[in-house]
Amino acid sequence: MGILEKISEIEKEIARTQKNKATEYHLGLLKAKLAKYRAQLLEPSKSPAAKGEGFDVMKSGDARVALIGFPSVGKSTFLSLMTSTASEAASYEFTTLTCIPGVIEYKGANIQLLDLPGIIEGAAQGKGRGRQVIAVARTADVVIMMLDATKGEVQRALLEKELESVGIRLNKSKPNIYFKPKKGGGISFNSTVTLTQCSEKLVQLILHEYKIFNAEVLFREDCSPDEFIDVIVGNRVYMPCLYVYNKIDQISMEEVDRLARRPHSVVISCGMKLNLDYLLEKLWEYLALTCIYTKKRGQRPDFTDAIILRKGASVEHVCHRIHRSLASQFKYALVWGTSTKYSPQRVGLTHMMEHEDVIQIVKK
């Protein structure tokens, strides 16, 4: 029996098993086995003859956004509208066969947008070019999931399932579980909260399935067995995702309103160029970038060239971005903007910068 058959057998058994107190251990074990087989499936084959053609694109710009979706939902049209790159667009499926990068220039930042080939059902098992598409999507900062508004919820559920099975967790935060394998001493289990989904026995069963017999486990939040398995495996990617419903000019206003009110969702029409500005605003929010402007002594701030950093960046990050030796020669900085109590405020290396702050660095 091959790995695919084993996976499908376990999935069927999970589907037909009733969920109650008596079956929770059985289900936990099945989920651990399923995660193990899926991990084996994604491991590159050892034989040199089985090399596939990959298409990773060199990372450039201040952030990377992956555009994924089923064939013919308007990804290439969207790329052509947003960037100066022309991606071949046509009304037949699989027009794009490789990864096409483009750059969105917005608020002084260069955002790399990758138009990936259409995903089909079974992509995680390597159907179509699914595995390469998903490998590139894992390197992005934000995923834009392009959906056809006329197809309802079917596409979204299928795509989420494909990404979930290869360890991409959309709009979720990392489970707050401390896990450390040890050389000996058995399994030490603790929790700081009341657990309703996992018990000590279930945790031990899952660890034994992974052949781990000595470890320290501390639950800091009430997590499910699936989340605990994610922590053990350790290669999961947690990333924000925007669900973009295209072709809204072909559905009723009531349906548009319903889709627009869903969490993490934006409705657009590439054909009629509707709502694209709002989509860019939302994308900026999800990327969590900040623009910092610099100022030389006795001169006006330079608003033409911003330093783009992640939210939560400190003065030290700004120094490293300007020059790697600047932090070691740093004396103090003067900052104007919303991060200060008064302008200009004299600050040190640990001061947290905010969007559109102006900084003047004084060296020793």
Side-chain angles (χ1 to χ4, degrees), residues 338-354:
T338 52
S339 69
T340 59
K341 291 174 186 158
Y342 45 86
S343 291
Q345 185 177 332
R346 184 171 163 160
V347 298
L349 281 172
T350 54
H351 176 76
M352 291 298 177
M353 303 295 287
E354 283 182 14

Side-chain angles (χ1 to χ4, degrees), residues 108-226:
N110 290 330
I111 301 163
Q112 186 182 38
L113 183 67
L114 301 179
D115 176 16
L116 295 166
I119 282 185
I120 56 173
E121 203 177 338
Q125 279 82 47
K127 283 189 189 170
R129 305 198 66 183
R131 217 178 280 186
Q132 291 126 303
V133 171
I134 289 164
V136 176
R138 283 174 75 94
T139 66
D141 299 302
V142 169
V143 167
I144 288 184
M145 194 183 282
M146 203 74 153
L147 303 161
D148 189 331
T150 59
K151 300 266 173 75
E153 300 305 306
V154 186
Q155 289 191 343
R156 178 169 171 168
L158 285 171
L159 277 174
E160 279 178 340
K161 189 181 167 210
E162 289 297 331
L163 295 179
E164 189 87 11
S165 65
V166 291
I168 295 177
R169 303 286 178 259
L170 302 175
N171 297 324
K172 286 181 184 173
S173 54
K174 210 171 177 182
N176 196 352
I177 300 172
Y178 172 77
F179 169 70
K180 188 184 179 187
K182 295 187 300 185
K183 292 273 193 300
I187 291 167
S188 129
F189 176 85
N190 265 311
S191 66
T192 56
V193 291
T194 309
L195 300 179
T196 59
Q197 306 172 71
C198 252
S199 65
E200 185 171 353
K201 186 184 168 188
L202 182 55
V203 164
Q204 285 181 345
L205 281 170
I206 291 170
L207 286 171
H208 290 171
E209 180 61 38
Y210 279 92
K211 303 208 168 22
I212 298 168
F213 302 100
N214 302 293
E216 235 175 286
V217 179
L218 171 64
F219 276 68
R220 295 194 185 101
E221 63 180 353
D222 186 15
C223 294
S224 66
D226 293 323

Side-chain angles (χ1 to χ4, degrees), residues 27 56-57 240 279 343:
L27 281 170
D56 201 4
V57 175
L279 172 55
S343 291

Side-chain angles (χ1 to χ4, degrees), residues 288-346:
L289 297 175
T290 51
C291 296
I292 312 293
Y293 300 106
T294 54
K295 176 188 178 308
K296 289 180 179 171
R297 186 178 283 177
Q299 293 182 19
R300 292 179 64 79
D302 180 9
F303 290 118
T304 56
D305 188 17
I307 294 172
I308 310 292
L309 294 164
R310 301 268 151 193
K311 224 170 226 166
S314 64
V315 173
E316 191 171 359
H317 290 110
V318 179
C319 292
H320 287 311
R321 180 58 73 89
I322 296 168
H323 195 275
R324 63 176 182 273
S325 67
L326 188 57
S328 57
Q329 301 166 357
F330 179 88
K331 189 177 180 186
Y332 66 87
L334 294 172
V335 176
W336 291 257
T338 52
S339 69
T340 59
K341 291 174 186 158
Y342 45 86
S343 291
Q345 185 177 332
R346 184 171 163 160

